[in-house]
Amino acid sequence: MKQRSIDLNSDLGESFGAYTIGLDNEILEVVTSANIACGFHAGDYNVMGKTVKMAKEKQVGVGAHPGFPDLIGFGRRTIQVDPDEVFHLTAYQIGALKAFCNIHEVPMQHVKPHGALFNMAAKDREIAEAIAKATAQVDEQLILFGSSGSELIRAGKKYGLKTASEVFADRTYQSDGSLTARTEKNAMITEVEKAIEQVRSMVFEGKVTSVDGEEVQVEADTICVHGDGQHALLFAKELRQRLEQEGIRMKRVGE
Amino acid sequence: MKQRSIDLNSDLGESFGAYTIGLDNEILEVVTSANIACGFHAGDYNVMGKTVKMAKEKQVGVGAHPGFPDLIGFGRRTIQVDPDEVFHLTAYQIGALKAFCNIHEVPMQHVKPHGALFNMAAKDREIAEAIAKATAQVDEQLILFGSSGSELIRAGKKYGLKTASEVFADRTYQSDGSLTARTEKNAMITEVEKAIEQVRSMVFEGKVTSVDGEEVQVEADTICVHGDGQHALLFAKELRQRLEQEGIRMKRVGE
Amino acid sequence: MKQRSIDLNSDLGESFGAYTIGLDNEILEVVTSANIACGFHAGDYNVMGKTVKMAKEKQVGVGAHPGFPDLIGFGRRTIQVDPDEVFHLTAYQIGALKAFCNIHEVPMQHVKPHGALFNMAAKDREIAEAIAKATAQVDEQLILFGSSGSELIRAGKKYGLKTASEVFADRTYQSDGSLTARTEKNAMITEVEKAIEQVRSMVFEGKVTSVDGEEVQVEADTICVHGDGQHALLFAKELRQRLEQEGIRMKRVGE
Amino acid sequence: MKQRSIDLNSDLGESFGAYTIGLDNEILEVVTSANIACGFHAGDYNVMGKTVKMAKEKQVGVGAHPGFPDLIGFGRRTIQVDPDEVFHLTAYQIGALKAFCNIHEVPMQHVKPHGALFNMAAKDREIAEAIAKATAQVDEQLILFGSSGSELIRAGKKYGLKTASEVFADRTYQSDGSLTARTEKNAMITEVEKAIEQVRSMVFEGKVTSVDGEEVQVEADTICVHGDGQHALLFAKELRQRLEQEGIRMKRVGE
């Protein structure tokens, strides 16, 4: 058995001005790490301050969730950027969130890029290294979150950062370790039992069974769950409860 | 004689994307403190990184220059905001610039609000305190710049910050210590000799002669000069040269 | 009896990107005129297209709802702008919405400024005239909405526009014809019966009883209702039903 | 001889707020069509009003120059958007500029997408058709500008629009009719004589000689020139003068 604990992370602080998104208060009861939007793809300075405060009160690890400067696209659209731009926009957003960590006297735990930036960083080495370098140069104590087996995890290690490999409870895997594309029929795991089984295998055995029946090695440091609706929230709650029953302890990556 | 040294500050890093403003490279040879725009009223993350690097190389003190989120108005327009909003937008921008200070391994020296925010903070106690509190809570070592005699200087002291009182070489003063409004004919001092004389009086005597001929007490820690055109640049250069000839040493406020 | 019909207007199309605000589909069943956000304080180009289409299908009059370029403040904050700026930002937003009217082959009926711009235009003659002039020069057939007795109504007439005077069912009035400030205890009318009675008086008699018991003359062409929550929606529905029972016909101002 | 006249177009109105770009006043003396930025990638509502007025005074054809909502990238970066989004953002921007055409009582002549959107529309049929459809549905009288032989020209014809095929005086062509990538050494034509010769061949013979020596058919309705610096301006002036000496008349496409 490789480990008996795991981190649960979720995107938070995505509200903006008069616009509200996400059941932040509820999901903070479930997760151990919060990826807080930094005002580029979502979130704003007021929301950031409040979200850091709430996370601290619930002893949830605070992380920066930098994304593309694309509020209308919620940071989900690939933008053709060069690594130097990624370096600077990542640093800026980490710094902005750090201000609120200082104010609320809570250390920043981690950095997890958002949406299109996260996906690009999984496969594009230069983009991944720009993010890792920015993170390391702003604060070398930060833990870098990336998909298990991604370029981003590799880049984090290259720049001397502690990393956290992310896995999914409710997505299926291909034999090369990548996620099945959402456009495929069998991309999602909708039965909670199967999701639990997949996480159990990843946490205790360090492997997952691909859609083709092959065993694939994975690192499972943190699981991504969502709080953007009642359904997602319930899934997250049940997942946590069941994992605890299985003897897996929920633990912040930075603990 | 109260002092024989003074700081010269200027707004820098105001370029944005494809848009260039300011003779940053040249004015950095003249000033001792740089107020660097933080991406709200001007500047962007790429420009911020480059400007911090340039300032460090020229041993110019690096400061955050937070403004209203109003790029189209260049932060010059009063916006009806509550102090809580000012607190958060100030903290955010200081934090963002701090990231680039970390990257370039240079301490952040000061904070000077920009434009309409600076003007509001001179007279509105709540706004001034929101800025001072944000500054102090993000980093208590920061020096807060404000107009001599302003609410902002008072607020900085209340929150335990070191402050730097700003005076003008090329603006006339009223008997109550406020600047003559730009809409008035006699608002500007266009002759270099008179500007030098005014600064000399402020630095050596701690006072300035108002347009009505009265002596007004001022604190003169730093003088604001501009690099947004050849004319302004030449004035700044000549001012510095003449002040040095008068025996006034140019010295960063944080030195 | 001055008239027996009235228009009901509401703000619509305020969603933005991934952010949803407002029960647009439901409130479109209740109102006769839709003030559609134009992408500055709320709304975006995708939302505008869909909202114009929905309004047309429900035979609701389409109007532009221009606001300040202040998404984070939802256009509710006073910004110190000169009339020339207001002229241009109003024209821009009307034109943008007109594109979607062309696409969906529906005439644009009216213009109603939003939030802080609406409030400024009620009292500031220059701002009011800038809005009226922009409206008239973009399309002289447009009807300009303003508060009953406001500078905006006056300005609309000066520029040859048809105007629609707006009254409130659920706000009390002062003896000078202005609305009681929301900060006052008696600002809101919460009982539906009283709201109906106020509207009846305004529609049939052309007057309203002020909080001090005086009769004040008002023009009542349109009533503003809200669809930003279940409570507001229910009030709007009941108001319409009761007014119809009173013999007041709901009719688009442009009909 | 296929024709003896040609249009010269240039991007204008790219200034934003306090930021100035482009020698608009000077280039307006040279060109016959102005592609005016619409506030997304560059330009703002104030600049648009002034630029339409200037273009009208100099009898230069007014066109909308819609781009991606990406001010920091100046609309030059590919963004992964679906055709429906392109349809709406194109319509919005055309409408916004039309408001200023109404105000200054000048017909809008054409639409030319900007930067990354222009490049995507050259090769991506769905993006091209979204632009053409938006243009046709907002105003079927508009002329659609696209690269000679591009999907955008094809799409314009499909939607019943008059089109104008754009060629370059200072870029070399590949044997398949595409432009040589800027990353190639021989991409640019720097000698004015060679540029004139290329335009002469395109205008009088309807063909261009590729870098491999092959003759390629082109439609040459309009040539793109630049006013973003003294060098570009001089090239444009000389090009115009020399073409006129060759007997080619400068004529707005909409004339």
Side-chain angles (χ1 to χ4, degrees):
Chain A
M1 271 180 283
K2 292 182 72 177
Q3 57 168 296
R4 293 166 177 266
S5 70
I6 198 143
D7 176 78
L8 285 186
N9 79 78
S10 187
D11 300 350
L12 279 108
E14 295 182 329
S15 295
F16 179 89
Y19 297 99
T20 302
I21 279 189
L23 303 164
D24 284 15
N25 211 44
E26 289 85 347
I27 197 75
L28 275 172
E29 300 286 352
V30 181
V31 297
T32 46
S33 292
N35 319 311
I36 301 178
C38 300
F40 273 42
H41 70 278
D44 66 42
Y45 39 82
N46 297 310
V47 171
M48 288 161 76
K50 281 166 204 142
T51 309
V52 168
K53 185 165 181 279
M54 282 165 63
K56 183 197 178 188
E57 285 165 4
K58 306 212 175 175
Q59 294 175 285
V60 169
V62 170
H65 196 42
F68 281 127
D70 179 24
L71 187 63
I72 199 171
F74 208 68
R76 289 176 177 149
R77 308 185 301 197
T78 299
I79 300 181
Q80 179 198 34
V81 286
D82 60 32
D84 185 62
E85 172 122 10
V86 169
F87 174 81
H88 285 96
L89 68 83
T90 301
Y92 182 100
Q93 293 179 70
I94 295 171
L97 191 71
K98 254 178 134 355
F100 298 104
C101 291
N102 290 8
I103 287 171
H104 296 292
E105 297 178 324
V106 59
M108 187 183 287
Q109 175 192 257
H110 71 283
V111 171
K112 178 183 167 183
H114 170 81
L117 188 58
F118 186 78
N119 295 335
M120 289 165 79
K123 297 189 174 171
D124 183 320
R125 183 158 297 188
E126 285 189 296
I127 297 294
E129 295 198 353
I131 294 168
K133 189 178 162 192
T135 303
Q137 292 193 352
V138 175
D139 181 353
E140 64 187 6
Q141 300 299 319
L142 291 166
I143 301 167
L144 186 60
F145 280 40
S147 288
S148 174
S150 67
E151 285 290 341
L152 189 54
I153 292 295
R154 248 176 297 240
K157 286 174 178 157
K158 175 175 169 180
Y159 281 94
L161 293 168
K162 200 180 153 193
T163 59
S165 290
E166 184 178 85
V167 292
F168 283 84
D170 57 354
R171 296 281 299 275
T172 64
Y173 282 81
Q174 297 290 301
S175 295
D176 67 353
S178 68
L179 293 169
T180 305
R182 278 178 190 273
T183 46
E184 299 297 313
K185 275 187 189 168
N186 58 351
M188 302 302 296
I189 297 172
T190 49
E191 293 168 56
V192 174
E193 284 313 310
K194 284 198 177 167
I196 301 296
E197 178 50 38
Q198 175 158 304
V199 173
R200 252 175 29 105
S201 168
M202 294 190 291
V203 171
F204 286 108
E205 317 285 340
K207 59 196 183 193
V208 66
T209 304
S210 80
V211 290
D212 300 322
E214 291 193 42
E215 287 200 341
V216 182
Q217 288 212 327
V218 291
E219 294 277 339
D221 300 318
T222 185
I223 301 174
C224 185
V225 295
H226 301 284
D228 55 351
Q230 284 298 342
H231 182 78
L233 181 65
L234 285 174
F235 179 84
K237 279 184 180 171
E238 182 151 356
L239 182 70
R240 176 174 178 145
Q241 196 176 27
R242 288 297 313 280
L243 292 177
E244 285 174 336
Q245 288 165 1
E246 298 282 343
I248 300 173
R249 190 165 76 90
M250 299 302 124
K251 196 185 72 150
R252 282 197 271 156
V253 290
E255 199 179 307
Chain B
M1 271 178 285
K2 292 183 70 178
Q3 57 168 294
R4 293 164 179 269
S5 71
I6 198 143
D7 176 78
L8 285 186
N9 79 78
S10 187
D11 300 350
L12 279 107
E14 295 182 329
S15 295
F16 180 89
Y19 298 98
T20 301
I21 278 189
L23 303 164
D24 284 15
N25 211 45
E26 289 84 349
I27 197 75
L28 275 171
E29 301 286 352
V30 182
V31 297
T32 47
S33 292
N35 320 311
I36 301 178
C38 300
F40 273 42
H41 70 278
D44 66 42
Y45 38 82
N46 297 308
V47 171
M48 288 162 75
K50 280 165 205 143
T51 309
V52 168
K53 184 165 182 280
M54 282 165 62
K56 182 196 179 189
E57 283 165 5
K58 306 211 174 174
Q59 293 175 284
V60 169
V62 170
H65 196 42
F68 281 127
D70 178 24
L71 187 62
I72 199 170
F74 209 68
R76 289 177 178 148
R77 310 185 298 199
T78 300
I79 301 181
Q80 179 198 35
V81 287
D82 60 33
D84 185 62
E85 172 122 11
V86 169
F87 173 80
H88 285 95
L89 68 82
T90 301
Y92 182 101
Q93 293 179 70
I94 295 171
L97 191 71
K98 255 177 135 350
F100 298 105
C101 290
N102 289 9
I103 286 171
H104 296 292
E105 297 179 325
V106 60
M108 187 184 286
Q109 175 192 258
H110 71 283
V111 171
K112 178 183 168 185
H114 169 81
L117 188 59
F118 186 78
N119 295 335
M120 290 164 77
K123 298 189 174 172
D124 183 321
R125 182 159 298 187
E126 284 189 296
I127 297 295
E129 295 199 353
I131 293 168
K133 188 177 162 193
T135 303
Q137 292 193 352
V138 175
D139 181 353
E140 63 188 8
Q141 300 299 319
L142 291 166
I143 301 167
L144 187 60
F145 280 41
S147 287
S148 174
S150 66
E151 285 290 341
L152 188 55
I153 292 295
R154 249 177 297 241
K157 287 174 177 157
K158 174 174 170 181
Y159 281 94
L161 293 167
K162 200 179 153 192
T163 59
S165 290
E166 185 178 84
V167 292
F168 283 83
D170 57 354
R171 297 281 299 275
T172 63
Y173 282 80
Q174 297 291 301
S175 295
D176 67 353
S178 68
L179 293 169
T180 306
R182 277 178 192 273
T183 45
E184 299 297 313
K185 274 187 190 167
N186 58 351
M188 303 301 296
I189 297 173
T190 49
E191 293 167 57
V192 174
E193 284 314 310
K194 284 199 177 165
I196 301 297
E197 178 49 37
Q198 176 158 305
V199 173
R200 252 175 28 104
S201 168
M202 294 191 292
V203 172
F204 287 108
E205 317 285 342
K207 58 195 183 195
V208 66
T209 306
S210 79
V211 290
D212 300 323
E214 291 193 41
E215 286 199 344
V216 181
Q217 288 211 326
V218 291
E219 294 276 338
D221 300 318
T222 186
I223 301 174
C224 185
V225 295
H226 301 283
D228 55 351
Q230 284 298 342
H231 182 78
L233 181 64
L234 285 174
F235 178 84
K237 279 183 180 171
E238 183 151 356
L239 182 70
R240 176 175 179 144
Q241 198 175 28
R242 290 295 313 280
L243 292 176
E244 285 173 336
Q245 289 167 0
E246 299 281 343
I248 300 173
R249 190 165 76 90
M250 300 300 124
K251 196 184 72 151
R252 282 197 270 155
V253 290
E255 199 178 307
Chain C
M1 272 178 282
K2 291 182 74 179
Q3 57 167 294
R4 294 164 177 271
S5 72
I6 198 143
D7 176 77
L8 285 186
N9 78 77
S10 187
D11 299 350
L12 279 107
E14 294 181 330
S15 295
F16 179 88
Y19 297 99
T20 302
I21 280 189
L23 303 164
D24 284 15
N25 211 43
E26 289 84 349
I27 197 75
L28 275 171
E29 301 284 353
V30 181
V31 297
T32 47
S33 292
N35 319 312
I36 301 178
C38 300
F40 273 42
H41 70 278
D44 67 41
Y45 38 83
N46 296 309
V47 171
M48 288 162 75
K50 280 166 205 142
T51 309
V52 168
K53 185 165 181 279
M54 281 165 63
K56 183 196 177 187
E57 285 165 3
K58 306 212 174 173
Q59 294 175 284
V60 169
V62 170
H65 195 44
F68 281 127
D70 179 24
L71 187 63
I72 199 171
F74 209 67
R76 287 174 179 151
R77 308 186 298 198
T78 299
I79 300 180
Q80 179 197 37
V81 286
D82 61 32
D84 186 62
E85 172 122 11
V86 169
F87 173 80
H88 285 96
L89 68 82
T90 301
Y92 182 100
Q93 294 180 68
I94 296 173
L97 190 71
K98 255 177 135 351
F100 299 104
C101 291
N102 289 8
I103 286 171
H104 295 292
E105 297 180 322
V106 59
M108 187 184 286
Q109 175 192 260
H110 71 283
V111 171
K112 178 183 168 184
H114 170 81
L117 188 57
F118 187 78
N119 295 336
M120 290 165 79
K123 297 189 174 171
D124 182 320
R125 182 159 298 186
E126 284 190 295
I127 297 294
E129 295 198 353
I131 294 168
K133 189 177 162 194
T135 303
Q137 291 192 353
V138 174
D139 181 353
E140 62 186 9
Q141 300 299 318
L142 291 165
I143 301 167
L144 186 61
F145 280 40
S147 288
S148 175
S150 67
E151 284 290 341
L152 189 54
I153 292 294
R154 250 178 296 242
K157 286 175 177 154
K158 175 175 170 181
Y159 281 94
L161 293 167
K162 202 180 152 193
T163 59
S165 290
E166 185 178 83
V167 292
F168 283 83
D170 57 355
R171 296 282 298 275
T172 63
Y173 283 81
Q174 297 290 301
S175 294
D176 67 353
S178 68
L179 292 168
T180 306
R182 278 178 190 273
T183 46
E184 299 296 314
K185 275 188 189 167
N186 58 350
M188 303 301 297
I189 298 174
T190 49
E191 293 167 58
V192 175
E193 284 313 310
K194 283 198 177 166
I196 301 296
E197 178 49 36
Q198 176 158 306
V199 174
R200 252 173 29 103
S201 168
M202 295 190 290
V203 172
F204 288 110
E205 317 285 342
K207 58 196 185 195
V208 66
T209 304
S210 80
V211 291
D212 299 322
E214 290 193 42
E215 285 200 344
V216 181
Q217 288 211 326
V218 291
E219 294 276 338
D221 299 319
T222 185
I223 301 173
C224 185
V225 295
H226 302 284
D228 54 351
Q230 283 298 342
H231 183 77
L233 181 65
L234 285 174
F235 179 83
K237 278 184 181 171
E238 182 152 354
L239 181 70
R240 176 175 178 143
Q241 197 176 28
R242 289 295 313 279
L243 292 177
E244 286 174 335
Q245 288 167 0
E246 299 282 341
I248 299 173
R249 189 164 77 89
M250 299 302 123
K251 196 184 72 151
R252 282 196 271 157
V253 291
E255 199 180 307
Chain D
M1 272 180 283
K2 292 183 73 181
Q3 57 167 295
R4 293 165 175 269
S5 71
I6 197 143
D7 176 77
L8 284 186
N9 78 78
S10 187
D11 300 350
L12 279 109
E14 295 182 329
S15 295
F16 179 88
Y19 297 99
T20 301
I21 279 190
L23 304 164
D24 284 15
N25 211 44
E26 289 84 347
I27 197 75
L28 275 171
E29 301 285 351
V30 182
V31 298
T32 46
S33 292
N35 319 311
I36 301 177
C38 300
F40 272 42
H41 70 278
D44 66 41
Y45 38 82
N46 296 310
V47 171
M48 288 162 75
K50 280 166 205 143
T51 310
V52 168
K53 184 165 181 279
M54 282 165 62
K56 182 196 179 188
E57 284 165 4
K58 305 213 176 174
Q59 294 176 284
V60 169
V62 170
H65 196 42
F68 280 127
D70 179 25
L71 187 64
I72 198 171
F74 209 67
R76 287 176 179 150
R77 309 186 298 199
T78 299
I79 301 181
Q80 179 198 35
V81 287
D82 61 32
D84 185 61
E85 172 122 11
V86 169
F87 173 80
H88 285 97
L89 68 81
T90 301
Y92 182 100
Q93 294 179 70
I94 296 172
L97 190 70
K98 255 176 133 359
F100 299 104
C101 291
N102 289 8
I103 287 171
H104 296 292
E105 297 180 324
V106 58
M108 186 183 286
Q109 175 191 258
H110 70 283
V111 171
K112 179 184 167 182
H114 170 80
L117 188 58
F118 187 77
N119 295 336
M120 290 164 79
K123 296 189 175 169
D124 183 321
R125 181 159 298 186
E126 285 190 294
I127 297 294
E129 295 199 351
I131 294 168
K133 189 176 162 194
T135 304
Q137 292 192 353
V138 175
D139 181 353
E140 63 186 8
Q141 300 299 317
L142 291 166
I143 300 168
L144 187 61
F145 280 40
S147 287
S148 174
S150 67
E151 284 290 341
L152 188 54
I153 293 294
R154 249 177 297 243
K157 286 174 178 157
K158 174 175 171 182
Y159 281 94
L161 293 168
K162 202 179 152 192
T163 59
S165 290
E166 185 178 83
V167 292
F168 283 83
D170 58 354
R171 295 281 299 274
T172 63
Y173 283 81
Q174 298 290 300
S175 295
D176 67 353
S178 69
L179 292 169
T180 305
R182 277 177 191 272
T183 46
E184 298 297 314
K185 276 187 190 169
N186 59 349
M188 303 301 297
I189 298 173
T190 49
E191 294 168 57
V192 175
E193 285 313 311
K194 283 199 178 165
I196 302 296
E197 178 49 38
Q198 175 159 306
V199 173
R200 250 174 30 103
S201 168
M202 294 191 291
V203 172
F204 287 109
E205 317 285 342
K207 59 196 184 195
V208 66
T209 304
S210 80
V211 289
D212 299 322
E214 291 193 43
E215 286 199 342
V216 181
Q217 289 212 326
V218 291
E219 295 275 340
D221 299 319
T222 186
I223 301 173
C224 185
V225 295
H226 301 284
D228 54 352
Q230 283 299 341
H231 183 79
L233 180 65
L234 285 174
F235 179 84
K237 278 184 182 170
E238 182 152 354
L239 181 70
R240 176 174 179 146
Q241 198 176 28
R242 289 295 313 281
L243 292 177
E244 285 173 335
Q245 288 167 359
E246 298 281 343
I248 300 173
R249 189 164 77 88
M250 298 301 123
K251 196 185 73 151
R252 281 197 273 156
V253 291
E255 197 179 309

